[in-house]
Every structure is written in structure tokens, then in C-alpha cells.
Amino acid sequence: MATAGKVIKCRAAVAWKPNAPLVIEEIEVGPPQEGEIRIKIVASSLCHTELFHLFEGKDNRGFPTILGHEGAGVVESVGPGVADFKTGDKVIPVSAAQCGECRFCKSPKTNLCERSWLNYHVDLMSYPTTRFTCRGQPILQFTGTGTFSEYIVIRQMYVVKIADDAPLDRVCLLGCGVSTGYGAAVNTAGVTPGSVCAVFGLGAVGLGAVMGCKNAGASRIFAVDINEKKFEKAKVFGATDVLNPKAYDKPISEVLAELTNGGVDFSLECVGNTEVSRAALESCVKGWGVSVLVGYTDADFSAKPIQLISGKTWKGTLLGGFKLKDSLPKLVNDYMTGKIMLDEFITHKMDLEQINDAIHLMKTGQCIRCILTISK
């Protein structure tokens, strides 16, 4: 392409500081270097992780930054040493590395990678090096991606090639939230046929978990949220029962225990709230119950040791346990063949210039997923 090897000027939504609106700016995106790929982002959705970084995080060093990590696009050019991608490939950039060489990548037990930014720069929520500049200063790429920009540069170990006929404004959802919830159920929890499950929190991650429980064969799925407007959507994904904790004068764990003869087999916490995490654990049946922490928070939490001594298992998951470079092409195919749902997560569609409106909708619980058109 005519832009290969050159700096590209394009639009992006820049978060200059926390607790402030994003600003649409013209930025410069440098050409890809060794092992890097430059991607034209076509569509991106908004995930709660962006809201956490912008409004809730305790560390403010990760600014200025370009947010966004659920995107999809087309390869514009590749840097030296990149052999598996070419101009024109449809791709999904992801926030979890898979170098394929470290002991974690070689193990089937985890989707962690020793080379991930998570291991070294979690304070920034980004690598300190970036190909973004604006107003003469470097701009971080949130989680190494930064998909609220028309172009990004990213290391090839974070890029997944997908089918040429995949709709980018749908499959971008698989870059984080939906895959995280779905994988938390089918991979991390290991939901079994005929089991009873409870999913706490009915955002996109929680609804993905509900879908995972259903596809794994659960016989009963409790969807738990204080926002009853999400209940009908939960039923679309497979929930058999819906519960609002505020409707009871006792802890929700006690309610679930009464409804299930002692507790659920599997519970998934998809909120990122320590009190909800504890409630999810306490909702599991003793002896074999499994509770999975899915939602992210940087707050401390605790539980009574007897919960674990009695035979329960408490575990966490990152991106649903999927090695994304290996698993995303199959998940894309599963969507295109009707095995998993994506369209049903989408409640709004907007242009990049409306990013602050999209943030408001998600912050106030009016949005499951908003698809942003990044490049026309």
C-alpha cells in the first residue's frame, strides 16, 4: 500500500487524563518495526475494562492513552520478520500475548505468556513504548492495542488472523468480553452436563458465561443482577431463572442454597466486585462446588477458610482460559455456523465521534455492547 513504511495521520479518541471525556484528535501512527503489524481498525466495541481504567483504577500512570481492546480490522503493512501475516488479512488484535515459545505458551494448563505486558507494566495497562504520538508527545496504547484509533501498531504475538468473510463489526466482540465469559464457563469452570450454575453480573461477560453454561449442558442457570432490565436478555442466552439480590431480606447465597438443595455446582462472578465474589463462592455447594472469578478489580478481598476447607474450589480466569491465537479462529467459525451468539450482545451502534455517549450508556447500565465504527 502507498502508506507502507510511512507515518500515518489518523483520528483517534485520546484519554488525556482519568475522569475526563475522551478527545477526538489527529494522531501520528509510526510504521511497524521488527515483529510488528500495522492494522486499519474497522470496528471496536467498548468494554468495562476501559471504564475501570478511566474512572475506577487506583493508578493514574497509564495516561495519556488511547483506549479500546475489542477491535477488528485489516492488515495495512507488516514490519521485518513478520511472515504469517500480509497486507489485506482480516485480523483481531488481542490484549493477551501468545509468543508460542515460553513455558506458559507450551503448557496446555494456561493461556498466560511470559512476554505479556501484564507481567511487567500492569501499572500502565500498556507497554511503555508506543507507535502513537499526538501534539508532540507519546500516547500509550491501552493493553498494547488501543483500538479507538483508525490505525494501530501491535506486536504479531497479539494478532489473530481470521476468515476472510468474517464480519468485523461482529467478531470484534470476541477480542475480550464474550470470549472471557464463555471460556470461564466451558474452560475454567468446566461446567458439566446436567449441572446447576449461577452467573453473577449480566454485562457482556456475564451473558457470555450464561451462553457457555447453556452450551456445556447445564440443566439450570441462575442469572443474578440488581438491574432487572437485563433479565430478558439473559433468558435469550439460556438463563432458566433470574434473581435480583435486592428483592430478598437474606443474602443471595442463602437464597440460592434454598433453591438448589445446598448450593449450585458452578458459580461465575462477572462483576469485579469483592462482595459479589464472596457471595458467589458462598453460593456453591460444599464438597465439589467451583466458583470462578471473572470480573477484574484491583481491590483486596477475603473469604472464610471453611468455604474452601469444606471442599469448594475458588479459581480465576484470564480471557476465559483461551489461548487466543489458537482459539479465536474457531470461535469466529462457531459464530458463523450458529454455534455461539454475537449479534444478540449488541445494543447500540455509533461512530467514533460518539465515544463519550457510548461510555455514558455503559456507565449507567443502559448498554451491553456498543459497536463503534472506527474507519469508514
Side-chain angles (χ1 to χ4, degrees):
M1 296 181 68
T3 52
K6 301 177 182 178
V7 173
I8 291 178
K9 293 185 178 181
C10 68
R11 296 176 310 139
V14 179
W16 287 103
K17 58 184 179 179
N19 296 297
L22 307 191
V23 180
I24 303 299
E25 302 272 15
E26 181 181 77
I27 69 165
E28 298 80 37
V29 183
Q33 303 302 307
E34 180 76 26
E36 295 180 341
I37 300 171
R38 188 158 60 184
I39 302 168
K40 180 178 183 178
I41 299 297
V42 173
S44 181
S45 66
L46 176 65
C47 175
H48 188 270
T49 309
E50 271 83 46
L51 271 65
F52 180 87
H53 187 67
L54 196 58
F55 300 113
E56 303 170 32
K58 297 178 180 178
D59 197 318
N60 293 331
R61 285 175 287 180
F63 294 89
T65 188
I66 293 176
L67 300 172
H69 67 289
E70 284 187 356
V74 180
V75 173
E76 177 269 341
S77 61
V78 301
V82 176
D84 296 334
F85 298 87
K86 65 182 185 305
T87 298
D89 283 345
K90 282 189 175 182
V91 293
I92 297 177
V94 295
S95 55
Q98 188 181 343
C99 72
E101 300 171 354
C102 71
R103 61 174 178 151
F104 293 105
C105 283
K106 291 179 179 179
S107 170
K109 298 179 180 179
T110 181
N111 63 342
L112 299 181
C113 174
E114 284 186 339
R115 296 173 63 185
S116 172
W117 61 269
L118 274 167
N119 297 323
Y120 310 103
H121 307 293
V122 71
D123 55 329
L124 300 177
M125 289 294 285
S126 169
Y127 284 112
T129 56
T130 174
R131 302 289 173 234
F132 290 158
T133 57
C134 182
R135 302 186 192 178
Q137 69 178 99
I139 308 294
L140 297 174
Q141 295 181 226
F142 184 67
T143 71
T145 51
T147 57
F148 295 164
S149 170
E150 290 180 301
Y151 287 87
I152 69 170
V153 174
I154 185 170
R155 304 179 189 196
Q156 62 179 330
M157 63 182 175
Y158 291 93
V159 182
V160 182
K161 183 178 178 180
I162 59 174
D164 290 338
D165 56 345
L168 298 178
D169 61 348
R170 297 292 191 276
V171 299
C172 62
L173 293 172
L174 291 169
C176 180
V178 174
S179 299
T180 295
Y182 186 75
V186 300
N187 296 330
T188 311
V191 171
T192 53
S195 60
V196 177
C197 303
V199 176
F200 292 75
L202 301 176
V205 174
L207 293 174
V210 170
M211 180 171 67
C213 292
K214 179 184 179 181
N215 285 8
S219 63
R220 198 172 184 187
I221 304 168
F222 291 89
V224 183
D225 202 297
I226 59 174
N227 184 350
E228 296 188 5
K229 293 180 180 179
K230 296 180 178 181
F231 285 171
E232 289 306 310
K233 181 72 76 171
K235 293 176 183 177
V236 169
F237 287 98
T240 58
D241 301 78
V242 290
L243 299 175
N244 180 352
K246 290 189 174 181
Y248 300 91
D249 57 3
K250 62 181 68 175
I252 193 64
S253 58
E254 293 183 16
V255 174
L256 282 165
E258 292 174 358
L259 293 171
T260 58
N261 189 28
V264 301
D265 301 301
F266 301 96
S267 70
L268 299 105
E269 191 281 336
C270 303
V271 180
N273 178 287
T274 57
E275 292 183 6
V276 179
S277 299
R278 181 167 175 168
L281 175 66
E282 293 175 347
S283 298
C284 284
V285 66
K286 63 182 179 181
W288 62 79
V290 175
S291 187
V292 181
L293 295 171
V294 190
Y296 175 77
T297 179
D298 56 3
D300 296 331
F301 62 94
S302 63
K304 294 179 180 178
I306 189 61
Q307 295 292 326
L308 304 180
I309 292 171
S310 66
K312 300 181 184 183
T313 300
W314 209 6
K315 57 201 306 187
T317 188
L318 175 69
L319 290 166
F322 284 116
K323 291 181 182 286
L324 291 178
K325 286 178 76 71
D326 295 339
S327 301
L328 269 189
K330 181 181 184 302
L331 288 174
V332 169
N333 183 67
D334 285 349
Y335 162 67
M336 297 177 70
T337 55
K339 294 180 181 178
I340 63 172
M341 293 182 278
L342 289 181
D343 300 46
E344 292 79 2
F345 288 92
I346 301 169
T347 54
H348 298 78
K349 296 181 180 180
M350 296 182 177
D351 292 329
L352 179 61
E353 287 79 5
Q354 297 171 285
I355 181 63
N356 291 307
D357 295 329
I359 289 173
H360 174 74
L361 287 171
M362 178 165 278
K363 190 177 182 182
T364 54
Q366 303 176 64
C367 173
I368 300 299
R369 274 296 186 266
C370 176
I371 299 296
L372 297 163
T373 299
I374 305 298
S375 298
K376 303 294 184 182

